[in-house]
Amino acid sequence: MSGSLWLKAESAGLDTLPAVPRPRPSWAAADPIDDLTTRLEEVIAAAVHPDEIAAVLESDGMTDDHIRLTYGRENSFALAEDLYARVERRYPEPDGPPADPWHTGLGGCLLRGLVFALPSLAYVLGAPLLAGPAAAPGLPAGTVPLLAGAVTGWVWNQALSHRAYSWLGLGDRAAAARTLLRGAPAGALVGALVAFAAAAAGPGEWGGAVFAAGQAVYLAAATVLLVLDREKALLGALAPLIAGTPAAHWLGLPDPARAALLGTSLALAVGLAARELPPWTAPSGERAPAGERAPAGRAAPRLAASVPYGLFGLGTGGLVLYAAIGDVVAEGAGASVAGPTAVALTLSMGPAEWLLHRFRSESLAGLRACTSARAFRRTTAVTLSLCLTVYLAVLLALAVTGTLLWPGAPDIGGTRLASLLLIGTVLWAALLLQSFGAVLTAAVVCGAAAAAQTVALATGTGDPRLVGAGVAGSAAAVLAVFGAVLLGRATAHRT
């Protein structure tokens, strides 16, 4: 080594020789990371964040042990960061319009919201049939069996819907129909039994139990029609109910006429649901039509996978019920828990569904347009804020309209308004997390909120509206944290 190099090393306090770069000899093996970079160049160039590359590596079956032995990196994330730094970002435009699996029409979503909310008219039409002594704690007669049957139906039918949709996702419509054919009647029976068991706990509840049994049968039929995309048929089944409610209010229909209108809508819903199932239920030994069978080798959906969706239905349904109960207990709003608050929340589910699809669609567009993870997170946050603001504005408009039109509805005060908007925020945020696969997280948060309100109502703790606002606010904060963690990752938005 020359004297100048030695003096330079000595002056720097080094006790080792400086490294001298040498060209790789021609006989040396190629760097495996270079080969991997070449093979995945297009994927790496289009990635917004190294985590996207890590997901691709893991999907190719690369374990951490393999990565350490082959590429000399600790794990898939370290290797992904190296690959990300080696390739310049570029986002080639597709040949045609980019695919958007989340595009959906507004009309269909509004129709679904309508058929979710219109059955609440049955409580108005059937109110005289539920007359009796007030239920504790100060609730209208028949409330306990009605709520017990409704909650049971929501849990069962949410789980049933998920299992049927899972079969549809595999392309086996016949299996989905068989699932509905077996599960819907069983759900109706369970809901009716729970309602009658609840009625046995208090006097004067048998009228509510009979009503709840019909409600359980309707929920089962409606589940079949909604899963099989027959919303218009379900709307037609509700026509007698829609026409009879104004007549009952203005003309004062006798009880037999009210019961006949309710029974007609129920019979139509059951008949239409039964008509939808036989064409898809192939006889034993007969093959389902081509294109409607699960691909060969695909396993059947796991029953356990549908349980979180049932719990999700329990939590979100409980929040809607307690919002309505808060009006009844605090204001004495009529003899039914199906007041303007509950109707506004159920009607808003149509716009909520469309806005969820809109957010997922805009997220995909952001993945294509943004050139950094920070820009993508900023774009996602803005889109999320806009969608949530629009949903709350729609919910507020529905609540104000319902209050003006609903006979004997409570005034919209600050507490009621705050509780309604906070519950709406929780419902929309929970649906958003569910659409990203975090259904168990959403179910646990909503279930805990509903349980807290159950305890407060049972013990008579505080104003139900104030309690509801506090519980909903806490749940919204928890969901916001989970949402920020989940939605901030670019990989979560890949379909």
Side-chain angles (χ1 to χ4, degrees):
M1 184 172 66
S2 67
S4 60
L5 274 176
W6 175 259
L7 292 174
K8 184 177 180 181
E10 186 177 276
S11 63
L14 302 176
D15 57 359
T16 58
L17 295 177
V20 178
R22 294 183 175 89
R24 181 185 293 272
S26 59
W27 48 264
D31 186 351
I33 296 184
D34 289 340
D35 293 339
L36 184 62
T37 303
T38 301
R39 180 163 62 88
L40 299 179
E41 183 175 3
E42 294 302 322
V43 174
I44 299 169
V48 173
H49 191 276
D51 286 356
E52 294 188 70
I53 305 172
V56 173
L57 297 176
E58 293 172 358
S59 68
D60 284 346
M62 291 191 187
T63 64
D64 289 344
D65 290 339
H66 171 77
I67 289 171
R68 281 192 291 270
L69 291 173
T70 306
Y71 301 105
R73 300 297 184 270
E74 185 64 24
N75 50 41
S76 60
F77 294 100
L79 178 58
E81 290 177 358
D82 194 342
L83 295 172
Y84 186 82
R86 288 169 178 249
V87 178
E88 183 181 359
R89 308 272 73 71
R90 61 178 184 271
Y91 306 94
E93 292 294 330
D95 295 334
D100 185 0
W102 292 100
H103 175 75
T104 188
L106 177 59
C109 293
L110 292 179
L111 177 60
R112 291 178 73 86
L114 194 61
V115 297
F116 290 156
L118 285 175
S120 62
L121 295 176
Y123 297 101
V124 179
L125 186 62
L129 306 178
L130 302 173
L139 297 176
T143 299
V144 174
L146 281 174
L147 295 186
V151 170
T152 303
W154 287 337
V155 174
W156 184 281
N157 289 301
Q158 282 277 357
L160 176 63
S161 297
H162 175 262
R163 183 158 180 80
Y165 278 125
S166 298
W167 279 115
L168 291 175
L170 292 174
D172 197 338
R173 193 174 177 94
R178 287 194 296 272
T179 297
L180 294 170
L181 186 61
R182 297 164 184 164
L189 178 60
V190 171
L193 291 177
V194 169
F196 279 106
E205 300 286 352
W206 295 109
V210 173
F211 193 98
Q215 173 184 257
V217 174
Y218 171 80
L219 287 174
T223 298
V224 172
L225 294 172
L226 289 172
V227 170
L228 298 180
D229 294 327
R230 297 296 184 266
E231 291 89 351
K232 293 182 179 178
L234 182 57
L235 183 62
L238 295 172
L241 182 64
I242 299 170
T245 301
H249 175 70
W250 296 109
L251 303 178
L253 294 178
D255 290 351
R258 292 172 181 265
L261 288 169
L262 292 170
T264 301
S265 279
L266 178 60
L268 287 173
V270 172
L272 290 170
R275 188 186 67 176
E276 292 297 328
L277 293 178
W280 302 110
T281 309
S284 177
E286 183 177 322
R287 293 174 61 83
E292 291 163 3
R293 297 187 299 271
R298 296 292 292 273
R302 296 183 301 111
L303 282 171
S306 298
V307 173
Y309 290 85
L311 297 177
F312 181 79
L314 173 63
T316 55
L319 290 176
V320 174
L321 284 177
Y322 284 123
I325 289 174
D327 285 351
V328 175
V329 174
E331 300 289 345
S336 171
V337 294
T341 296
V343 172
L345 286 168
T346 50
L347 270 177
S348 72
M349 289 298 99
E353 182 181 347
W354 183 81
L355 288 166
L356 287 174
H357 281 80
R358 187 69 179 173
F359 174 75
R360 297 301 305 268
S361 178
E362 293 295 330
S363 297
L364 289 181
L367 280 175
R368 293 189 293 267
C370 295
T371 57
S372 69
R374 178 178 296 180
F376 174 72
R377 286 194 295 269
R378 183 170 58 251
T379 300
T380 301
V382 171
T383 304
L384 179 62
S385 299
L386 288 174
C387 289
L388 179 57
T389 301
V390 172
Y391 169 69
L392 293 179
V394 171
L395 178 59
L396 177 61
L398 290 172
V400 171
T401 303
T403 300
L404 295 175
L405 299 178
W406 199 274
D411 295 332
I412 296 184
T415 304
R416 180 187 173 207
L417 181 60
S419 178
L420 174 66
L421 295 181
L422 285 171
I423 291 173
T425 301
V426 171
L427 292 177
W428 197 82
L431 290 170
L432 180 64
L433 289 179
Q434 178 192 258
S435 74
F436 279 91
V439 60
L440 186 57
T441 299
V444 169
V445 174
C446 292
Q453 288 190 263
T454 301
V455 172
L457 182 65
T459 58
T461 304
D463 185 333
R465 290 181 179 175
L466 289 175
V467 172
V471 169
S474 301
V478 174
L479 290 174
V481 173
F482 281 110
V485 173
L486 175 63
L487 303 181
R489 299 199 304 263
T491 51
H493 298 263
R494 294 294 189 190
T495 55

